[in-house]
Amino acid sequence: MVHTIYVPTFAFWKGDVESRLKLLEEEVLHNEKYKGKFEMGLEIGGLAKHFANQEPIDQIYGNMILVAGGVKSIVHGFAGLEVYTAGIADMSDDVGKSLLERYIGLGKKLNSSYVHVHGSAGFQGIKEPENKSDRLQKIRENLLYGLSISDGIPIGLENLPTPSACDFDSNPETVWSDCVQQPADVQTVIQKTPLKFTFDTAHYSINRNGYIDLIAPVKKMKDHLHHLHVVDSCGYWKANVSKCYDGSIPGDGRIGPDSFEKFFKHIHEHHPDLGICIEVRNIDEKNPEQTRQGIRRVLNWLSQ
Ligand SMILES: [Zn+2]
């Protein structure tokens, strides 16, 4: 059993698939230090328009086959503020169900190992939504529908920061929040089902103080844990004052190297085949040097 190391790709652009594949080949596949110790894969993301209908998805499929045919893949879809503003990603609604069908259709054609999404059940403001439990229930129904048509591809849900669009807005009246934020929300949706959990370390760390214990939330999820988004965060979201960001190289942000080192020891011991995606933001996305640094650190922690 080995870990598969993934990096995100906006696969609508052929050049992006090429640069990410080259990076994985250099750092994972052909790295003398780790020969045979890790597998590699691409996690497909993009902009809302890349998944809004079938035509761009066919182009994504074509690029993946042409450039990365045979390489492991995961379908994650689009993220950022667009999951709310584009109006097609809400998994508690029929629009989200249709989007999930398109993601799963792509995953089936590519023989992907996982399809996972954000709840994207957004509302504006910092408040407890009145209909939260109904929306979580609807998300569960739609994800279970997805699982019923996925031909065995696992379907999962990711935790989000609080507020979930905290890197776009500091106004507590207009910032977007989500019915699915903390791991506890994900747990409400997936408990007593075969649905899976994607743990995003940066989303979890945002606005937490002191030592960030990454092990506790994955222990709680037990067998639901299926995939990691590994990245650090910085800044604090403060009403009308400041925003916070995810995207730092793991170890360079609030989580820091000590917590990550302990976390990966636990992961390697207890989840030796877990998929791990390095979700770092690059200064120049055409030249993903920060992702390269992130891969190096994670492989080092996993090998200690
Ligand atoms: Zn993530």
Side-chain angles (χ1 to χ4, degrees):
M1 285 195 286
V2 298
H3 294 289
T4 303
I5 306 300
Y6 291 89
V7 294
T9 177
F10 279 23
F12 181 78
W13 297 308
K14 187 166 153 252
D16 197 83
V17 185
E18 286 168 345
S19 70
R20 268 49 182 180
L21 188 64
K22 182 168 171 281
L23 180 64
L24 284 169
E25 285 171 346
E26 288 168 1
E27 296 298 328
V28 182
L29 191 66
H30 300 314
N31 189 328
E32 284 301 326
K33 227 166 137 184
Y34 304 117
K35 268 240 160 355
K37 283 194 176 159
F38 301 100
E39 292 188 24
M40 60 177 207
L42 292 165
E43 182 159 332
I44 299 167
L47 306 174
K49 65 183 179 186
H50 297 162
F51 297 96
N53 56 63
Q54 194 54 41
E55 206 180 307
I57 293 178
D58 289 340
Q59 181 163 333
I60 289 173
Y61 172 73
N63 288 341
M64 286 296 293
I65 292 296
L66 189 69
V67 180
V71 171
K72 276 189 164 187
S73 65
I74 283 176
V75 180
H76 186 43
F78 67 95
L81 189 58
E82 273 193 306
V83 298
Y84 306 118
T85 56
I88 58 169
D90 183 346
M91 290 296 151
S92 70
D93 200 313
D94 284 348
V95 289
K97 188 179 178 181
S98 303
L99 180 68
L100 181 62
E101 279 182 318
R102 294 197 290 282
Y103 290 159
I104 291 170
L106 175 63
K108 287 195 317 198
K109 279 173 76 177
L110 286 170
N111 200 19
S112 297
S113 49
Y114 188 36
V115 174
H116 66 129
V117 294
H118 297 168
S120 309
F123 55 92
Q124 280 185 295
I126 307 290
K127 60 191 174 198
E128 188 69 14
E130 278 172 24
N131 52 359
K132 180 170 171 173
S133 65
D134 292 349
R135 295 183 80 182
L136 294 182
Q137 172 66 25
K138 199 79 207 332
I139 293 171
R140 177 208 296 252
E141 285 167 20
N142 284 340
L143 295 188
L144 284 172
Y145 164 75
L147 186 62
S148 77
I149 60 159
S150 76
D151 290 352
I153 300 174
I155 305 295
L157 188 60
E158 176 179 355
N159 63 301
L160 289 177
T162 308
S164 71
C166 56
D167 49 354
F168 295 99
D169 195 353
S170 70
N171 182 339
E173 305 293 325
T174 54
V175 68
W176 285 88
S177 300
D178 203 301
C179 293
V180 178
Q181 291 185 154
Q182 295 300 317
D185 298 323
V186 177
Q187 198 160 19
T188 303
V189 174
I190 68 174
Q191 64 189 347
K192 301 190 182 112
T193 77
L195 296 169
K196 299 299 183 188
F197 173 47
T198 299
F199 180 53
D200 186 303
T201 58
H203 292 170
Y204 183 73
S205 72
I206 273 172
N207 279 6
R208 280 175 206 272
N209 287 308
Y211 180 79
I212 314 267
D213 178 3
L214 299 173
I215 298 174
V218 305
K219 271 189 175 167
K220 266 194 194 143
M221 285 295 186
K222 299 195 177 97
D223 293 344
H224 289 287
L225 180 68
H226 192 73
H227 189 57
L228 297 177
H229 277 175
V230 176
V231 51
D232 216 328
S233 73
C234 62
Y236 285 94
W237 190 91
K238 286 186 194 148
N240 297 312
V241 174
S242 61
K243 297 180 258 184
C244 53
Y245 299 90
D246 65 7
S248 307
I249 299 169
D252 280 2
R254 180 171 305 120
I255 298 170
D258 291 352
S259 178
F260 271 118
E261 192 180 322
K262 290 188 180 72
F263 177 63
F264 280 112
K265 189 170 187 292
H266 174 86
I267 291 297
H268 193 56
E269 272 176 34
H270 298 277
H271 304 274
D273 57 351
L274 200 66
I276 298 169
C277 184
I278 316 299
E279 247 194 356
V280 172
R281 283 189 205 180
N282 294 289
I283 293 167
D284 171 11
E285 286 296 344
K286 287 196 167 64
N287 187 20
E289 279 310 303
Q290 285 68 38
T291 302
R292 185 188 302 279
Q293 292 306 319
I295 295 173
R296 287 182 181 173
R297 286 192 194 171
V298 170
L299 295 190
N300 183 44
W301 285 319
L302 284 168
S303 304
Q304 283 184 1

